[in-house]
Amino acid sequence: FNTLLLVVILGMCILSAYLIKKWKIFFIPESAAAIIVGVFVGGITRILSKDEQELDFLSFNTQMFFFVLLPLIIFEAGYTVQKQHFFNNLGTITLFAVLGTLISTFVISYLTYLAALAGLITINTTNPMELLMFGALISAVDPVATLAIMGSSEVKCDPLLYSLVFGESVLNDAVSIVLFHTFADENKRNEIYTIQNIPATLLNFAQVSLASLCIGSVVGLTCSFIFKHTDIRTYPKFEIGLLFLFAYGSYAFSEALHLSGIMALFFNGLILSHYNYFNLSTTSKVTAESILSSMSSLSENFVYLNMGMGVFTGRFKNWDPLFIILAIIFCLIARLLNTFPCSYLTNLWREEKITGQMQVVMWFLGLRGAIAFALSQSMPGPSKDTYASTTLAIVLVTTIF
């Protein structure tokens, strides 16, 4: 029965997305519709069902998210990205995604620490790694909802603005995940962490990112070489299967080496779309993009649906309204302190400047999404439940409102 229920409500989410596009309801993003459906279904289930096993089935599954759903979303983003706009603005996008995320992480961590010292919120302040991990996960920008609106032909969004927001959101996700796991590794050492340790941590972060990028690129080039020098294109079903296996292989290989599978997968998608696309048969060119697009959309709906259901089916008990409000304010301050300075730096060398109006839009596009919530499930320490419930609340507020 649970499986049937899941299929039905996923179908409801897809129909909702269709109606939103058909009726051009721009003020309700597709992701917000999926969350609302999830909240409704989760609430009904909580009222009618007393079976804890059934509630567990509808709860957010972190392992499934990181190893099944997220790879589909990230690979589709890398494979279908508008390469000309992306590479033309690669320097700017990298600055926003890397330097901007680092600024955001440390600003949010420090402001949260000050709020805890002032007695406004109740969290563990004895371990700075927990604060840095929270700063890293909540800095994961996931503007899927906004991009769905900006990408609509009726809105006529500026191509530069769309390219910057899309590129930053995808790379920022990878950077936040790498940064979070870097801090998590430091936390497991149980050593006293001081400001002198920060350079070593950042060096480790840079090494992991670069190594992951190289793995994704090498696997992508290997796949392209095989496709070019064989006649596998005469068998489209083998062709598409091998393409997806190479893609997931880059993710699994990086994770096996304790690197960033997400970073490797995104650049693997970029390489495959650039070098391998013309090696594919006509059938596979169309089929691969259609399958990726459909599976990515289904994964996104599934993730947001689960997050909505998590409001009632989750095991969160420590809801702190003041922490939620303060965290949203901290996110806005951190976003302000990385958007405008990074824009100023990039405008020093750019011919096409990032206007003040674009900067304001980018500031408010810092939505938090599924990646932030999934990472919050891996938080250590006694304040884990508080961080998770606060993150979920921030995701709901920034996505729906």
Side-chain angles (χ1 to χ4, degrees):
F1 177 76
N2 286 337
T3 306
L4 176 61
L5 175 64
L6 201 57
V7 171
V8 171
I9 55 182
L10 266 175
M12 291 170 57
C13 291
I14 293 175
L15 288 174
S16 299
Y18 161 72
L19 293 175
I20 287 171
K21 286 188 176 295
K22 180 178 174 60
W23 293 338
K24 301 176 183 178
I25 310 174
F26 295 137
F27 62 89
I28 303 179
E30 296 170 27
S31 52
I35 287 176
I36 293 170
V37 171
V39 170
F40 178 77
V41 172
I44 296 296
T45 305
R46 169 62 75 177
I47 293 171
L48 299 180
S49 176
K50 303 300 180 184
D51 187 357
E52 292 295 317
Q53 193 173 18
E54 186 170 331
L55 294 177
D56 283 336
F57 179 81
L58 296 177
S59 297
F60 191 89
N61 189 316
T62 307
Q63 292 295 322
M64 183 178 181
F65 174 75
F66 278 114
F67 289 98
V68 179
L69 303 177
L70 185 59
L72 284 169
I73 296 170
I74 295 297
F75 182 64
E76 192 268 344
Y79 194 79
T80 61
V81 68
Q82 295 181 353
K83 293 181 287 295
Q84 183 177 356
H85 290 299
F86 182 83
F87 286 112
N88 286 346
N89 299 293
L90 184 59
T92 302
I93 289 171
T94 304
L95 186 68
F96 276 110
V98 178
L99 180 60
T101 303
L102 287 171
I103 293 173
S104 179
T105 296
F106 286 103
V107 168
I108 292 173
S109 301
Y110 187 65
L111 290 176
T112 304
Y113 175 71
L114 291 180
L117 284 185
L120 298 176
I121 56 177
T122 306
I123 56 171
N124 178 29
T125 58
T126 59
N127 186 357
M129 281 297 101
E130 287 185 26
L131 293 165
L132 287 170
M133 289 170 70
F134 175 68
L137 73 88
I138 208 65
S139 296
V141 176
D142 187 25
V144 174
T146 308
L147 286 173
I149 297 173
M150 292 173 64
S152 174
S153 57
E154 291 88 353
V155 176
K156 297 179 181 178
C157 175
D158 184 278
L160 172 61
L161 178 61
Y162 182 85
S163 177
L164 292 177
V165 171
F166 175 81
E168 182 206 355
S169 67
V170 176
L171 276 186
N172 165 273
D173 288 346
V175 170
S176 295
I177 292 171
V178 175
L179 205 54
F180 179 88
H181 289 303
T182 301
F183 291 139
D185 290 340
E186 293 286 346
N187 182 62
K188 291 176 183 176
R189 296 177 184 176
N190 292 321
E191 298 176 355
I192 298 176
Y193 195 85
T194 64
I195 196 170
Q196 285 77 23
N197 299 109
I198 292 178
T201 301
L202 295 180
L203 179 62
N204 182 35
F205 160 75
Q207 290 172 340
V208 169
S209 301
L210 186 60
S212 303
L213 186 156
C214 290
I215 287 175
S217 301
V218 169
V219 172
L221 290 172
T222 303
C223 178
S224 302
F225 179 85
I226 292 173
F227 274 55
K228 184 175 182 179
H229 292 89
T230 62
D231 292 326
I232 196 170
R233 66 178 63 85
T234 57
Y235 304 96
K237 64 178 181 180
F238 298 146
E239 190 179 25
I240 294 174
L242 194 60
L243 177 72
F244 290 162
L245 284 174
F246 265 104
Y248 199 82
S250 68
Y251 179 85
F253 187 33
S254 294
E255 289 292 328
L257 296 178
H258 302 289
L259 300 173
S260 172
I262 296 304
M263 190 83 76
L265 191 58
F266 176 72
F267 281 96
N268 180 265
L270 274 176
I271 293 295
L272 288 176
S273 67
H274 187 70
Y275 290 103
N276 195 53
Y277 180 79
F278 297 102
N279 298 330
L280 299 175
S281 63
T282 304
T283 302
S284 295
K285 286 178 182 177
V286 177
T287 307
E289 288 198 15
S290 297
I291 291 175
L292 272 176
S293 180
S294 297
M295 295 304 295
S296 175
S297 176
L298 195 62
S299 297
E300 288 172 1
N301 276 299
F302 185 83
V303 168
Y304 281 106
L305 178 67
N306 268 265
M307 289 171 63
M309 291 190 294
V311 174
F312 292 104
T313 62
R315 299 294 183 264
F316 311 119
K317 299 177 181 178
N318 298 326
W319 292 90
D320 188 339
L322 182 57
F323 188 17
I324 293 168
I325 294 170
L326 288 174
I328 292 173
I329 294 172
F330 295 161
C331 288
L332 285 172
I333 293 172
R335 185 74 180 168
L336 174 73
L337 293 177
N338 78 61
T339 299
F340 291 96
C342 287
S343 298
Y344 173 78
L345 289 175
T346 59
N347 281 339
L348 294 177
W349 76 74
R350 288 184 62 90
E351 293 183 5
E352 186 180 2
K353 306 298 183 185
I354 304 174
T355 65
Q357 187 177 17
M358 287 183 185
Q359 294 175 40
V360 172
V361 173
M362 292 175 69
W363 174 29
F364 284 103
L365 286 186
L367 309 182
R368 270 62 188 176
I371 290 176
F373 179 66
L375 289 174
S376 72
Q377 307 299 295
S378 303
M379 284 290 292
S383 304
K384 172 183 176 178
D385 196 55
T386 303
Y387 286 125
S389 58
T390 300
T391 304
L392 177 59
I394 293 171
V395 172
L396 296 177
V397 170
T398 58
T399 303
I400 296 175
F401 302 104

